[in-house]
Amino acid sequence: MKENRVIIIQFLFLLVGAVFILKLFIIQVIDKSYEEEANHNAIQRIIEYPYRGIIKDRNGKLLVANTGVYDLMVIPKKLKINGNLSQFCALLGIDTTEFRQRLKIATKYSSVKPTVFFEQMSDIKFARIQDLLSDFPGFYVQARTVRNYPQSIAANALGYIGEISKEKIELVGRDNYKSGDYIGISGVEAFYEKELRGVRGVKYVMVNVRGEEKGRFKNGGYDTASVPGRDVIASLDLDLQAYAEKLMKNKVGSVVAIEPSTGEVLAFVSAPFYDPNLLTGEDFSSNYNKLVRDSLKPLFNRALMAQYPPGSIFKTINGLYALHNDIIDTTTIFPCNRGIIACHGKHSSANFTTSIQFSCNPYYWNVYKKILNQGKVGNYFKDAKICYDHWREHVVKFGLGGKTGIDLPNEKKGILPSSKYYDKVYGESRWAFTTIFSLGIGQGELSITPIQMANVACILANKGYYYAPHLVKGIGRKDSVATYYTEKHETNIDRMYYNAIVNGMELVVRSGTGFLARSKEFIGCGKTGTVENPHGADHSVFIGFAPKENPKIAIAVVVENSGFGAEWAAPISGLLFAKYLNKKIEKDWVENYILKRDFIRDPAKPKPKDRKRRV
């Protein structure tokens, strides 16, 4: 039996060898087509790049499309210059010196493999050189697409694509990308790269010695078709986004608007912004370098990465914590003692509701003192640490001190110091309320991002919960969002206490510090903040939502170096509320007031500060 198996295996090997020999004999001796193709043509392998998925807004309006461009490819070993090189270079917009430098780079990569010689030529430039290509065998043109932004908005939200780096290829795998491929680098383009990119195809064509295409090899039998990327439906509202950018022109800061009931981001502005069309086409590199060198840092995504002390908007969280833990109640009154800390407006004392309405600093100085001095263990310092840890656990539930999980790369966590941090800075049992009282009014070591601010506004609007904010509501179709973005996150603060906060926020807009956000057609709620800035004028901040019942939009606005929250962030929010809810602007004079101010050329002047003026 064993000898029979050996004979069978040997026979099979001989049979396979005979088949290969016969095939080679047919190819080399009998079938002359291969010899003719080798003598007269070359087989060229051409990558067929898929159409990248387009991006539409929540109402089906186009945000990101594709436009055709052409890469001029070169195989250095096959290149022959049979025509007027100077004319050819002039049509490309380069000189002969740069031509040789590009060829040298291509040869260094590979003398026999195709390399991009001149990337992303427009239709016009391709038409200029098309008739000359036959004089330069070794060159050929490969069609591909680049991004096009019909509305020129939402650059920091949508992101951009660019040529993949060698390091990135090693990271994602050579099976997925090769040198010269494009990949999402920032924004939605990067986060949803896998869904948007599609799958490459390959076609094999015959070209003659002059580089002219002579048809598909074997009638396309070896070709593979490219698969287009999947379309993405963004949660953004194009009209609201465009209007928010209009209001933030000539200002530094951000606007984030969210639908509270879903976590869908309606507007996402990082100012100053840039035209996303700058980072497409053959001028990508030069435009990118200009943006990088811009002192205003338009590529820096402030809505996601800038970290500010929250200022007075943080009083809402401290108030809720104090109510929930029976540290105060809605009838608690504190005098507005400006001897301990400065305050706004004209009021001698405040109860809980009016403390929000007038943003009373002494009130929340006292609230935070009671939060940290509860006498739990009879030791002033140990008591402060225990109370601080308990307070911090609740603040984390508001999405602070960690990432919100928004579907964008590079989100920052903000800063919510732990008690261990204070132990390290001041020493164990060497800090208490008097050391960190600034946290009571949202100053000190605390910092949060604009996306976190908007998320807090959603929690207040929903009276106790939020859904992780997200910029995409569907892949291929609406409402196909990832499960993570449908999970409800609770704050564990009793819902009834939110009513007191919301009533105070209504008064802020109706007759308090945020009155410039007021509308005749709906009831808005909000909280202003004036954030201390050691490098210049204070930052203007506002969070809020509208309408009061069944809120449709929650918002956070930050205008850097502009002064009081009531002066700039609040009116911008009011205009955006009206734009989204009523599709019109109620107060033209407020809009003109906002549009005329240029904080980039003429920043607000910093006001004198002392240790007690913490606003």
Side-chain angles (χ1 to χ4, degrees):
M1 289 291 293
K2 185 176 180 181
E3 290 178 357
N4 289 341
R5 282 200 298 268
V6 172
I7 292 170
I8 291 170
I9 292 170
Q10 289 175 343
F11 174 76
L12 288 174
F13 273 109
L14 289 172
L15 181 61
V16 171
V19 170
F20 276 111
I21 292 170
L22 180 61
K23 186 66 175 175
L24 287 172
F25 178 78
I26 293 171
I27 290 174
Q28 296 181 10
V29 179
I30 298 174
D31 188 350
K32 297 297 183 181
S33 65
Y34 287 90
E35 182 181 1
E36 291 170 1
E37 288 172 353
N39 289 334
H40 300 290
N41 302 290
I43 301 171
Q44 200 168 83
R45 182 178 184 269
I46 297 177
I47 299 294
E48 286 204 319
Y49 288 95
Y51 283 100
R52 197 170 175 88
I54 63 173
I55 303 175
K56 296 179 180 180
D57 88 331
R58 66 190 298 109
N59 300 310
K61 297 177 182 177
L62 194 60
L63 291 171
V64 186
N66 296 305
T67 188
V69 294
Y70 302 88
D71 285 347
L72 181 61
M73 310 295 292
V74 65
I75 303 175
K77 191 171 183 178
K78 295 183 178 181
L79 180 61
K80 294 181 181 179
I81 300 173
N82 298 329
N84 187 326
L85 181 59
S86 296
Q87 180 189 10
F88 186 70
C89 290
L91 292 174
L92 285 174
I94 61 176
D95 55 27
T96 54
T97 301
E98 186 174 348
F99 178 93
R100 294 186 179 91
Q101 288 174 343
R102 288 175 180 245
L103 184 60
K104 184 177 180 181
I105 293 170
T107 305
K108 186 176 180 181
Y109 171 73
S110 174
S111 63
V112 296
K113 292 182 180 179
T115 309
V116 176
F117 182 84
F118 195 99
E119 62 183 356
Q120 299 188 11
M121 291 186 296
S122 64
D123 289 332
I124 296 173
K125 184 166 285 189
F126 172 53
R128 289 173 184 164
I129 69 164
Q130 190 172 14
D131 291 339
L132 297 180
L133 283 177
S134 60
D135 294 330
F136 297 87
F139 277 127
Y140 70 94
V141 169
Q142 180 168 275
R144 65 190 310 167
T145 59
V146 293
R147 295 310 235 175
N148 172 261
Y149 304 86
Q151 306 299 326
S152 300
I153 61 172
N156 282 288
L158 299 171
Y160 63 93
I161 64 172
E163 188 172 344
I164 191 169
S165 65
K166 291 180 180 179
E167 295 77 14
K168 190 72 174 179
I169 290 175
E170 294 299 326
L171 185 64
V172 299
R174 293 184 177 275
D175 292 339
N176 299 314
Y177 296 89
K178 68 179 186 65
S179 180
D181 282 357
Y182 286 83
I183 190 171
I185 294 177
S186 69
V188 170
E189 295 278 18
F191 196 91
Y192 290 96
E193 165 68 14
K194 183 178 179 181
E195 292 80 4
L196 286 165
R197 69 182 292 252
V199 180
R200 289 192 309 250
V202 178
K203 69 174 182 179
Y204 296 89
V205 299
M206 305 298 298
V207 294
N208 63 19
V209 291
R210 293 179 62 81
E212 298 169 334
E213 190 172 319
K214 306 302 290 183
R216 295 291 181 93
F217 174 65
K218 291 297 182 182
N219 295 317
Y222 293 92
D223 297 353
T224 56
S226 61
V227 179
R230 300 174 70 189
D231 295 344
V232 163
I233 300 167
S235 60
L236 295 174
D237 182 290
L238 186 151
D239 295 333
L240 185 68
Q241 177 73 27
Y243 188 56
E245 291 191 13
K246 178 181 177 181
L247 296 176
M248 290 298 289
K249 187 177 180 181
N250 298 322
K251 298 168 184 66
V252 178
S254 60
V255 173
V256 180
I258 302 175
E259 184 178 67
S261 61
T262 62
E264 294 172 5
V265 177
L266 303 171
F268 188 93
V269 178
S270 176
F273 31 82
Y274 63 94
D275 182 349
N277 287 300
L278 291 174
L279 297 183
T280 62
E282 61 186 86
D283 295 324
F284 175 96
S285 295
S286 60
N287 289 333
Y288 178 79
N289 289 330
K290 289 176 185 176
L291 291 171
V292 168
R293 292 194 297 268
D294 190 327
S295 61
L296 295 172
K297 299 181 179 179
L299 292 175
F300 178 64
N301 195 336
R302 287 174 169 81
L304 202 65
M305 302 172 71
Q307 301 175 97
Y308 311 92
S312 291
I313 65 172
F314 194 67
K315 293 171 183 174
T316 59
I317 296 176
N318 279 338
L320 284 167
Y321 175 84
L323 289 173
H324 180 76
N325 289 280
D326 297 323
I327 294 169
I328 62 170
D329 60 37
T330 55
T331 64
T332 300
I333 295 174
F334 290 113
C336 184
N337 183 353
R338 303 180 190 208
I340 56 174
I341 194 166
C343 195
H344 316 280
K346 297 178 180 179
H347 55 280
S348 58
S349 62
N351 60 28
F352 184 78
T353 301
T354 56
S355 75
I356 294 293
Q357 179 184 8
F358 299 116
S359 196
C360 182
N361 286 333
Y363 192 95
Y364 285 93
W365 186 92
N366 280 291
V367 167
Y368 201 60
K369 182 179 181 181
K370 289 177 73 68
I371 288 173
L372 294 191
N373 295 348
Q374 296 182 51
K376 289 184 178 295
V377 294
N379 180 289
Y380 180 66
F381 295 105
K382 290 182 179 179
D383 187 52
K385 184 174 182 178
I386 292 170
C387 293
Y388 180 87
D389 286 340
H390 188 263
W391 167 83
R392 188 181 184 280
E393 286 176 14
H394 278 72
V395 175
V396 168
K397 296 285 186 180
F398 284 81
L400 305 186
K403 297 180 180 180
T404 66
I406 188 172
D407 49 352
L408 291 175
N410 305 316
E411 181 186 6
K412 296 297 184 183
K413 294 180 179 180
I415 299 172
L416 181 59
S418 65
S419 57
K420 290 181 180 179
Y421 168 83
Y422 289 119
D423 284 344
K424 184 177 180 180
V425 172
Y426 298 108
E428 194 167 352
S429 295
R430 295 180 64 87
W431 59 273
F433 165 74
T434 52
T435 319
I436 60 171
F437 69 89
S438 291
L439 297 180
I441 55 171
Q443 293 289 165
E445 298 77 17
L446 182 68
S447 70
I448 68 177
T449 63
I451 187 66
Q452 290 173 326
M453 294 181 189
N455 197 47
V456 170
C458 286
I459 293 170
L460 298 171
N462 292 330
K463 296 183 180 179
Y465 67 89
Y466 70 94
Y467 296 98
H470 49 284
L471 272 156
V472 168
K473 62 187 277 112
I475 305 293
R477 60 180 177 83
K478 285 187 178 181
D479 304 320
S480 57
V481 68
T483 305
Y484 172 76
Y485 297 111
T486 64
E487 296 172 359
K488 184 184 286 189
H489 301 269
E490 304 274 1
T491 61
N492 296 333
I493 300 287
D494 196 304
R495 184 179 176 85
M496 68 178 182
Y497 297 120
Y498 282 92
N499 292 325
I501 285 285
V502 169
N503 289 337
M505 293 175 71
E506 178 188 350
L507 291 175
V508 167
V509 175
R510 187 187 297 276
S511 57
T513 55
F515 73 95
L516 284 177
R518 186 172 54 204
S519 169
K520 294 179 181 178
E521 299 193 23
F522 57 84
I523 298 174
C525 301
K527 183 69 194 76
T528 56
T530 305
V531 176
E532 283 193 342
N533 171 27
H535 308 294
D538 294 337
H539 304 320
S540 176
V541 176
F542 181 90
I543 65 169
F545 56 88
K548 180 181 179 182
E549 302 300 329
N550 191 23
K552 303 297 183 186
I553 178 173
I555 202 165
V557 175
V558 179
V559 185
E560 293 185 12
N561 308 118
S562 61
F564 295 116
E567 289 181 304
W568 301 103
I572 288 173
S573 299
L575 290 168
L576 291 170
F577 284 157
K579 178 70 173 178
Y580 187 68
L581 296 175
N582 299 334
K583 310 302 179 187
K584 64 180 183 179
I585 305 304
E586 294 177 30
K587 303 174 182 177
D588 291 341
W589 68 270
V590 175
E591 182 184 64
N592 291 332
Y593 160 73
I594 296 296
L595 294 177
K596 286 180 180 178
R597 193 62 163 92
D598 185 340
F599 282 113
I600 292 177
R601 289 188 177 183
D602 184 22
K605 301 294 188 293
K607 295 178 175 61
K609 295 182 175 69
D610 57 53
R611 288 177 63 89
K612 292 183 179 180
R613 188 184 180 277
R614 305 283 263 183
V615 295

